[in-house]
Amino acid sequence: MPNSQSTPGIAAGRLESQAYQDNFTDLHPRLDDHEALVAADRCYFCHDAPCMEACPTTIDIPLFIRQIATGTAESAAMTILNQNILGGMCARVCPTETLCEEVCVRETAEGKPVEIGRLQRYATDTVMGAHPFTRAAATGKTIAVVGAGPAGLSAAHRLAMHGHDVVMYDARSKAGGLNEFGIASYKSVDGFATREVDWLLSIGGITVKLGQALGNGLQLDELSKRYDAVFLAIGLTGVNALRCDGEDKDGVLDAVDFIEELRQSSDLNTLPVGRHVVVIGGGMTAVDAAVQAKLLGAEDVSLVYRRGRDRMNASPFEQDLAASKGVRIITHAAPKAVHGNGAVAEIEFAYTQDGPDGLTETGETFRLKADQVMKAIGQRLGDANGLDLDGNKIAVTDTGRTSRNGVWAGGDCASGGDDLTVTAVAEGRDAAQDIHATLMGG
Amino acid sequence: MADLHSTFLGIDSPNPFWLASAPPTDKEYNVRRAFEAGWGGVVWKTLGEAGPPVVNVNGPRYGAIFGADRRLLGLNNIELITDRPLEVNLEEITRVKRDYPDHAVIVSLMVPCEEEPWRKILNEVELTGADGVELNFGCPHGMAERGMGAAVGQVPEYIEMVTGWVKKHSNLPCIVKLTPNISNILMPAEAALRGGADAVSLINTINSITSVNLDAMSPEPMIDGMGTHGGYCGPAVKPIAMNMVAEIARNKATSGLPISAIGGVTTWRDAAEFMALGAANVQVCTAAMTYGFKVVQEMISGLSQWMDEKGHTSTADFVGLATPNVTDWQHLNLDHVTKAVINQDDCIKCGRCFAACEDTSHQAIEMSDDRTFTVKEDECVACNLCVNVCPVESCITMRTLEPGEVDERTGMIIPETKRTWLQHPNNPSADPNMCIVRGQ
């Protein structure tokens, strides 16, 4: 008998084949020409526009929307990509509702912002064929970029554009970082992350070396000696633990691993998922894992967060998305123990409350059935390689300089900014500019 | 609900909204449906003399310009007068007028500039029972090249001559439709009056090229790689038409000459504005061509509501009420001082007022770090640009300074009296020692 949503335990193929296609289709499909013109017409071309200020990469949004409105989407794309070479991915994954669109004056006026994210996608999609940037004359300098995620890709592209050679390392088998491995599948369909990386690399001058990481074939001292500069974009490789009993039972996994496996799966029908899934955490990763578990056919999925909804890192849009897909969001509950005989069967939570002493347990507990428990309670830096820290991250200046001469860092591993793709792109770009200026004596 | 009944040259219609001579009034099928939809009258699309029918282009006839959301703001056409046989039109006009005795049916005419063709066609039109004729002296393309339309309307002597023939050979009320493609609208209007016209209607369409095809390098509408100027109409021409209507209404020689206003009437408010400037009724084309005949229903309900609110019981009540307030610049009160005021509750902080004022005007708006925009009264000249570029209606308004208040920009105390350019000390004909410079 084929599996269904109510098949006990962890099982693959809970849905009809067609359902996987339907469930994992593009969350925000590309606007067609007419839709784009209508959407672009709504932009007021604000002075010193709030949306532009809210964008971590400071894209000139009113200008690119005006370029769309006047029939030059390719020019619009260049306005975007000059500031943010991963403008295509950012158009898909940016939490625009908490960035540009949140401050759009039409949000103020009518509660409906200009659809900036979708317009950005409309524009950038027009230039994803031939690479539109060219390299400056060769400088003879070579820079190591460690980590081929958004920050690393952004830095590598900018450095290559300035005429430097770049050697980019990544621990995984594919470049792209979290774009490739760490975001929900329905935000980047049809292999977009891979296509975007290929398109970006086609500027030339960037050599990609996979399967190598700091501490695994690479040493920072060695890189510093061998290259004219080093840019670290190593991300956060450690996953925070629940720190509760039974965490080692079968069926308890890291949400990032679940998402990675799903993103790399060529046949979702073969990907197992629990009948009862509990995701612990309140950020984007938690939502991405919970929603995808539901879309894979889990009978019930609960997303449990220890504080209130207002404290969740996932935006209200993401929370609503989860709810609309059937994810039950439970707040003010902290994991106490994972129960089960070898494999998880239930997870026990304590209710919490906010008070003058911070978050405390009320003393009341409850249990949820669980065949799978996904941990999404944050990630942390792996090895800092002897660099100074700011909190839990590599301490950097505004332009990404670390405590070590000749070594820059950016993206999630470095201090400053939110852990967002767009922030990583900005940090990579700005570090590259500083590296270029430093190496060229500018 | 106010009574919208309208009488123009003794011709009754249930409301002052007529369809102008144009494609919507080219045939019985359209006109019947227009009347059923609520239009008060029609000016039947221009008839020419009997003979081989007019030939139109078979490529695009229209070009357009658009506002946001592809709202059609201006339409241009290179269509000619009716291309249907004269006898067919005359039969249809007869049937329609018979079935709609309470609606106005005016017939637009354009025949060669000779007395006999005019006499002949007038006789035929009289037999239809139509209420009047409108002389098409305005179409700027095609027919003008053959000595008709605007070719007549641009020569006052011809207007007077042809109008004279029409009045000589027909008892029908005669409306002369004027072209705006002249330097002074009063000259053709006065010529029409001299010729015996009972009324004028204006404006006909404006010479125009709406767009250029940058691949073919041809004006559009493009016919096989070439284009010609067409006649421009729609909301974009309303300001030009209103000025011309007002000029005729306030001109001594032509004041009192009934006016049927044409030019971008799209809503009840447009109609009320034209009528306030002196038009007795309005003719509409582009709004119907854009939205269909139903659009008249908003015009009817809107004008009626406004009349009720203002206490007008007849459409004649407000005709010309604004005419006395149309004047020359030299009669404007130069001591009337206003200042822009930004309503902070309505402001959505787009900053367009700031950009406009800072970059292109008088640097009279301040922008704070938190995007609060305030007017610097000591710099504001009350140009109104901020009001015009603000996307929120009534967010920025103009406050009039009361007598006794100080204009912070000039230091002038607002006087009780008014002073126009004619009394102003800076007028070269005044005492040069009295000349005022800023800050005095």
Side-chain angles (χ1 to χ4, degrees):
Chain A
M1 206 178 98
N3 288 331
S4 73
Q5 286 192 280
S6 53
T7 301
I10 299 173
R14 291 180 180 273
L15 304 174
E16 302 287 336
S17 309
Q18 182 60 39
Y20 294 101
Q21 268 186 39
D22 295 344
N23 286 355
F24 288 89
T25 189
D26 215 340
L27 182 62
H28 298 297
R30 181 175 193 260
L31 297 172
D32 67 25
D33 291 346
H34 169 70
E35 290 172 317
L37 287 177
V38 171
D41 260 349
R42 295 188 66 237
C43 174
Y44 282 142
F45 203 72
C46 294
H47 171 76
D48 199 5
C51 52
M52 186 172 164
E53 294 296 307
C55 174
T57 53
T58 327
I59 293 170
D60 192 337
I61 294 165
L63 178 60
F64 94 67
I65 293 179
R66 192 171 173 82
Q67 289 166 323
I68 292 173
T70 54
T72 52
E74 292 80 1
S75 296
M78 293 309 288
T79 299
I80 295 161
L81 297 168
N82 272 318
Q83 287 296 109
N84 178 339
I85 194 62
L86 295 179
M89 181 58 81
C90 288
R92 290 160 169 81
V93 302
C94 259
T96 52
E97 63 279 3
T98 62
L99 296 170
C100 52
E101 291 179 16
E102 181 180 45
V103 297
C104 175
V105 301
R106 298 205 79 144
E107 172 69 26
T108 312
E110 299 139 50
K112 282 195 196 319
V114 174
E115 289 185 283
I116 298 168
R118 297 187 76 186
L119 285 166
Q120 178 165 323
R121 170 160 176 198
Y122 175 82
T124 50
D125 275 4
T126 61
V127 296
M128 295 311 287
H131 191 84
F133 293 91
T134 52
R135 298 184 68 195
T139 62
K141 309 280 186 189
T142 306
I143 295 124
V145 171
V146 185
L153 288 166
S154 168
H157 185 272
R158 183 61 59 124
L159 290 166
M161 214 166 76
H162 284 311
H164 307 294
D165 286 327
V166 178
V167 178
M168 185 160 60
Y169 297 95
D170 198 274
R172 300 183 201 247
S173 58
K174 243 170 143 179
L178 291 179
N179 288 358
E180 179 61 46
F181 296 96
I183 54 164
S185 175
Y186 45 76
K187 292 177 182 170
S188 168
V189 301
D190 301 329
F192 179 76
T194 308
R195 284 192 284 125
E196 188 180 42
V197 169
D198 292 343
W199 167 88
L200 181 147
L201 293 176
S202 64
I203 189 171
I206 305 170
T207 307
V208 181
K209 297 192 172 184
L210 299 169
Q212 297 184 58
L214 284 178
N216 177 20
L218 298 179
Q219 299 300 327
L220 187 52
D221 288 341
E222 177 67 23
L223 291 175
S224 288
K225 271 188 223 142
R226 191 144 40 111
Y227 295 102
D228 294 297
V230 178
F231 179 65
L232 298 180
I234 54 180
L236 303 174
T237 49
V239 176
N240 291 333
L242 293 178
R243 291 195 296 260
C244 70
D245 291 344
E247 187 171 354
D248 55 348
K249 289 188 190 300
D250 290 346
V252 179
L253 66 158
D254 293 332
V256 289
D257 293 337
F258 170 73
I259 292 170
E260 175 172 343
E261 191 181 0
L262 191 147
R263 280 297 300 278
Q264 299 306 311
S265 165
S266 55
D267 185 1
L268 295 173
N269 191 32
T270 63
L271 200 64
V273 68
R275 177 183 183 184
H276 307 292
V277 177
V278 175
V279 180
I280 299 170
M284 304 284 248
T285 301
V287 169
D288 283 357
V291 170
Q292 294 191 112
K294 192 78 184 79
L295 298 178
L296 272 182
E299 186 174 64
D300 61 75
V301 177
S302 299
L303 187 155
V304 186
Y305 179 56
R306 65 198 178 112
R307 298 180 188 274
R309 275 209 183 202
D310 55 324
R311 296 287 298 273
M312 287 174 72
N313 275 333
S315 66
F317 172 83
E318 292 284 337
Q319 296 175 34
D320 290 348
L321 176 72
S324 76
K325 299 296 182 190
V327 173
R328 179 184 176 203
I329 298 177
I330 299 170
T331 56
H332 280 111
K336 291 287 284 181
V338 178
H339 301 287
N341 185 12
V344 56
E346 281 188 324
I347 176 163
E348 183 178 352
F349 292 92
Y351 282 112
T352 64
Q353 58 190 8
D354 293 303
D357 304 326
L359 197 68
T360 54
E361 295 182 3
T362 64
E364 194 182 349
T365 62
F366 68 96
R367 292 184 179 205
L368 295 175
K369 282 189 193 171
D371 304 304
Q372 271 183 322
V373 171
M374 299 184 188
K375 298 181 284 185
I377 53 175
Q379 292 161 271
R380 55 189 159 68
L381 186 64
D383 186 353
N385 290 277
L387 299 170
D388 285 357
L389 295 182
D390 177 358
N392 299 319
K393 297 193 169 187
I394 298 170
V396 292
T397 65
D398 284 351
T399 55
R401 290 174 186 237
T402 67
S403 55
R404 179 168 178 162
N405 203 24
V407 178
W408 281 256
D412 290 357
C413 70
S415 62
D418 295 325
D419 289 350
L420 295 172
T421 304
V422 64
T423 309
V425 173
E427 291 169 0
R429 176 198 68 193
D430 294 345
Q433 289 294 113
D434 194 37
I435 292 169
H436 174 66
T438 305
L439 294 185
M440 304 312 286
Chain B
M1 186 166 158
D3 176 16
L4 296 189
H5 179 267
S6 164
T7 303
F8 186 78
L9 308 184
I11 305 162
D12 289 323
S13 57
N15 60 53
F17 305 112
W18 291 5
L19 282 171
S21 169
T25 61
D26 191 29
K27 50 172 137 23
E28 179 178 0
Y29 174 81
N30 292 21
V31 173
R32 284 183 184 274
R33 293 180 64 245
F35 285 158
E36 292 304 320
W39 292 92
V42 299
V43 181
W44 203 279
K45 183 170 165 80
T46 307
L47 310 185
E49 61 181 344
V54 162
V55 178
N56 266 302
V57 294
N58 296 293
R61 298 176 189 186
Y62 303 117
I65 64 159
F66 303 95
D69 212 13
R70 213 174 147 83
R71 292 270 166 175
L72 190 148
L73 297 182
L75 185 69
N76 124 322
N77 83 86
I78 55 169
E79 187 174 287
L80 303 182
I81 61 174
T82 184
D83 54 10
R84 303 180 331 131
L86 176 63
E87 59 274 19
V88 173
N89 276 307
L90 293 170
E91 285 165 18
E92 291 186 1
I93 292 166
T94 308
R95 283 200 295 270
V96 168
K97 184 60 205 177
R98 183 193 65 210
D99 291 350
Y100 293 91
D102 299 331
H103 288 64
V105 177
I106 310 296
V107 179
S108 173
L109 298 174
M110 182 197 289
V111 294
C113 218
E114 298 156 22
E115 188 167 356
E116 181 53 22
W118 282 98
R119 187 194 63 75
K120 195 160 181 295
I121 199 164
L122 284 161
N123 289 348
E124 290 174 313
V125 170
E126 284 200 336
L127 296 174
T128 64
D131 297 302
V133 293
E134 183 181 82
L135 314 188
N136 182 343
F137 293 160
C139 277
H141 50 271
M143 304 310 283
E145 296 167 20
R146 305 173 202 175
M148 293 180 270
V152 178
Q154 289 169 331
V155 183
E157 292 77 9
Y158 291 173
I159 295 174
E160 183 178 348
M161 176 179 73
V162 176
T163 308
W165 293 336
V166 171
K167 291 309 292 180
K168 177 176 159 192
H169 294 296
S170 165
N171 291 321
L172 288 170
C174 170
I175 306 166
V176 173
K177 185 166 178 176
L178 304 179
T179 175
N181 300 311
I182 39 82
S183 55
N184 180 354
I185 196 67
L186 296 178
M187 298 180 75
E190 290 178 4
L193 188 62
R194 285 196 302 274
D198 299 297
V200 289
S201 58
L202 69 161
I203 58 175
N204 205 310
T205 55
I206 303 172
N207 283 337
S208 59
I209 292 173
T210 42
S211 55
V212 173
N213 184 314
L214 292 176
D215 297 318
M217 283 296 165
S218 159
E220 292 178 320
M222 177 173 72
I223 306 294
D224 193 22
M226 299 185 86
T228 186
H229 72 271
Y232 193 47
C233 56
V237 311
K238 179 188 149 194
I240 297 165
M242 290 217 295
N243 176 56
M244 291 184 168
V245 165
E247 288 301 298
I248 292 171
R250 75 187 184 98
N251 175 46
K252 198 171 174 190
T254 49
S255 68
L257 178 65
I259 300 169
S260 182
I262 310 165
V265 174
T266 310
T267 69
W268 70 267
R269 181 180 291 276
D270 299 328
E273 290 177 10
F274 270 112
M275 292 168 78
L277 286 173
N281 74 3
V282 294
Q283 296 182 30
V284 178
C285 173
T286 308
M289 291 185 72
T290 309
Y291 303 109
F293 290 143
K294 184 183 168 183
V295 73
V296 74
Q297 292 171 13
E298 168 274 318
M299 298 181 193
I300 291 168
S301 64
L303 188 66
S304 178
Q305 178 181 328
W306 174 76
M307 285 172 62
D308 285 345
E309 287 165 5
K310 294 290 181 187
H312 298 307
T313 54
S314 151
T315 54
D317 283 2
F318 56 89
V319 169
L321 288 187
T323 313
N325 296 325
V326 182
T327 188
D328 297 334
W329 194 96
Q330 63 183 344
H331 300 305
L332 300 176
N333 179 6
L334 298 177
D335 288 340
H336 175 79
V337 179
T338 64
K339 298 288 176 187
V341 182
I342 300 171
N343 182 332
Q344 299 299 337
D345 291 338
D346 291 345
C347 176
I348 60 172
K349 303 188 186 297
C350 69
R352 292 209 322 204
C353 58
F354 176 82
C357 191
E358 189 71 13
D359 290 358
T360 70
S361 295
H362 300 85
Q363 296 77 47
I365 293 179
E366 183 124 21
M367 175 178 169
S368 73
D369 288 343
D370 70 346
R371 297 183 73 80
T372 300
F373 298 91
T374 44
V375 174
K376 295 186 264 188
E377 292 214 345
D378 57 343
E379 297 290 348
C380 177
V381 304
C383 73
N384 209 42
L385 183 64
C386 56
V387 173
N388 294 331
V389 302
C390 177
V392 179
E393 190 177 353
S394 302
C395 173
I396 308 180
T397 50
M398 285 289 164
R399 183 180 78 84
T400 300
L401 269 53
E402 298 294 331
E405 277 192 81
V406 176
D407 177 353
E408 288 185 30
R409 186 176 71 87
T410 60
M412 182 183 79
I413 299 168
I414 308 297
E416 297 278 354
T417 54
K418 70 183 263 185
R419 186 172 49 170
T420 72
W421 177 239
L422 301 179
Q423 294 102 36
H424 200 278
N426 289 26
N427 187 327
S429 59
D431 177 0
N433 294 325
M434 295 294 290
C435 180
I436 296 175
V437 295
R438 192 174 165 186
Q440 284 186 317

